[in-house]
Amino acid sequence: MKLLRLCILSLFCISASATASIAGKPVILVHGFNFTDLQNTPPNEQFLLQQSREYFGDFWTARADRHHYFSSTDRVSGGVKDQFRRHFEELESSGLCMSGCVFVTHSTGDLVLRDALNRLGQWGIDRNRVKVLTVIDFAGAGGGTELADLASNVATGGGFVDFTVRQVVRAFLGVDPSSSGLGVVNDLRPANARNIAQGNQGIPRLRFVGTGSEFLGITKPFISGKDDSVVPLHSACGSNRASSYDSCSSGIRNNGVLRSARAPSALLANHYPILMGEKVNHSQHINNDRVGGIYAPIINNVSANGIVIDFEESTGRTWWSWGAKVRSVDDSRRKSMSENVFDTLNN
């Protein structure tokens, strides 16, 4: 009864008997930017919790113990920070993570979680009761996206704004932006995002990235380098600076071909690009779509605080690679990115 009451009051638990885990450790989900928040301000926490469940869909919601949610109308250093302080205080009180938890983020969730983790000492959170083993970042927007710059320019009327640009921003935001109503989008501008908790937090950040197309591809020309139609590789890979990249690795392309590629020369501390999905767009990182294409492992056969990364992979020549070798996850075409990640790490 006490546990059930705690779940109801906090609105964090999916059920009082949740058994979800990765490698036997509880899983906590952190969603990304919700454009519907800019249309209608979320009325309460129950709404935000349900919205997070819908955001992650059946696959991840069924595999998670809690959701750490926020309103996209807020700023990272404002309402989002206050919301996450409440989340972590409740997490400390529950003792759920005393033996370690795994966080799974998507997109902006990467940015807001890194800010929160940086504040745990400031908030007085007992690290012996809240142990974060590792963070799985899908399409991590910790380095921002150029689409946020574009949205800000449209909102403020800065520079020439033509019909195409407005359509791109509508695809990204779902609404026509106003300078007073961008919320967390302001924090997604690359210059702003890269000022938010970029230091070494001592927690492995496992990066899973895609370069697929969404929104009929109209956003791609406005993003630096290859991207998933929302987040550029300089952000998703965990690069220490914003630039135009084709891959997370200088020796393997996004389609698994073992040839040189433009890639970050340095990554943020404890950031590890693990897998690239050539056809995975921004939404498909977590929505369980089986989109085919190559899933190219970059870092494999390693352990991150007990979470073992051991994708079954093969390297060989294919008819379409013009004689070059291709590195790929075995049977990856038959699984979504999330399936590939969960089935591999949950061992």
Side-chain angles (χ1 to χ4, degrees):
M1 180 61 71
K2 183 178 180 181
L3 176 60
L4 179 58
R5 187 181 303 114
L6 184 62
C7 289
I8 293 172
L9 290 176
S10 67
L11 301 176
F12 294 159
C13 297
I14 294 175
S15 72
S17 58
T19 58
S21 68
I22 289 179
K25 302 301 181 181
V27 175
I28 300 173
L29 304 180
V30 185
H31 63 81
F33 168 66
N34 257 315
F35 69 86
T36 56
D37 290 355
L38 302 186
Q39 298 170 329
N40 298 288
T41 302
N44 52 49
E45 295 210 355
Q46 181 63 56
F47 182 92
L48 287 170
L49 173 58
Q50 180 58 32
Q51 190 169 245
S52 180
R53 290 171 174 168
E54 294 171 0
Y55 183 101
F56 275 102
D58 293 339
F59 184 88
W60 279 110
T61 292
R63 290 162 175 79
D65 293 85
R66 297 192 179 188
H67 292 250
H68 282 190
Y69 46 79
F70 61 94
S71 171
S72 294
T73 60
D74 291 329
R75 298 292 301 272
V76 169
S77 61
V80 176
K81 173 200 67 179
D82 296 338
Q83 182 70 61
F84 269 71
R85 179 171 185 168
R86 291 192 290 272
H87 285 317
F88 275 96
E89 287 174 344
E90 167 57 28
L91 201 59
E92 179 186 39
S93 176
S94 71
L96 178 68
C97 295
M98 288 186 67
S99 63
C101 279
V102 174
F103 278 75
V104 176
T105 79
H106 180 248
S107 191
T108 308
D110 166 26
L111 183 66
V112 301
L113 180 62
R114 70 174 62 238
D115 179 74
L117 292 176
N118 201 51
R119 297 178 186 272
L120 295 187
Q122 169 190 329
W123 293 337
I125 300 298
D126 184 350
R127 298 294 187 102
N128 291 318
R129 293 186 62 82
V130 180
K131 295 179 182 177
V132 181
L133 296 178
T134 190
V135 180
I136 297 170
D137 293 309
F138 288 107
T145 171
E146 290 78 11
L147 294 183
D149 281 337
L150 204 65
S152 179
N153 289 338
V154 171
T156 60
F160 175 72
V161 180
D162 64 14
F163 175 78
T164 301
V165 171
R166 291 189 181 278
Q167 292 301 109
V168 168
V169 171
R170 286 191 189 116
F172 172 48
L173 296 183
V175 295
D176 289 318
S178 66
S179 58
S180 62
L182 287 177
V184 77
V185 175
N186 288 298
D187 298 305
L188 287 171
R189 302 184 70 175
N192 294 341
R194 290 185 174 276
N195 281 325
I196 297 175
Q198 299 288 298
N200 186 356
Q201 298 171 345
I203 300 170
R205 307 291 298 238
L206 310 183
R207 317 291 285 184
F208 297 89
V209 311
T211 52
S213 182
E214 198 168 357
F215 314 122
L216 301 177
I218 65 171
T219 58
K220 283 183 170 289
F222 300 90
I223 305 174
S224 180
K226 286 192 179 296
D227 58 84
D228 61 13
S229 291
V230 175
V231 174
L233 287 188
H234 71 74
S235 179
C237 297
S239 172
N240 68 344
R241 67 186 183 91
S243 190
S244 177
Y245 301 122
D246 296 329
S247 171
C248 293
S249 168
S250 61
I252 181 170
R253 298 184 180 179
N254 68 310
N255 60 358
V257 174
L258 298 181
R259 284 181 174 159
S260 61
R262 289 181 301 168
S265 58
L267 301 172
L268 294 170
N270 287 313
H271 283 58
Y272 305 100
I274 304 298
L275 199 68
M276 293 186 293
E278 63 166 334
K279 293 187 177 180
V280 178
N281 68 32
H282 192 66
S283 301
Q284 289 164 341
H285 284 78
I286 58 169
N287 70 3
N288 206 30
D289 284 354
R290 300 177 181 182
V291 299
I294 295 294
Y295 288 83
I298 303 171
I299 299 174
N300 201 12
N301 298 314
V302 296
S303 175
N305 282 340
I307 307 301
V308 179
I309 300 104
D310 57 351
F311 290 94
E312 294 184 6
E313 63 170 90
S314 300
T315 301
R317 304 183 191 278
T318 66
W319 63 268
W320 54 265
S321 64
W322 298 94
K325 290 184 178 180
V326 177
R327 184 181 183 186
S328 64
V329 172
D330 294 346
D331 294 324
S332 59
R333 297 171 185 267
R334 299 184 181 181
K335 292 183 178 182
S336 67
M337 176 169 276
S338 284
E339 282 181 301
N340 273 298
V341 172
F342 183 82
D343 290 351
T344 300
L345 272 56
N346 188 35
N347 53 26

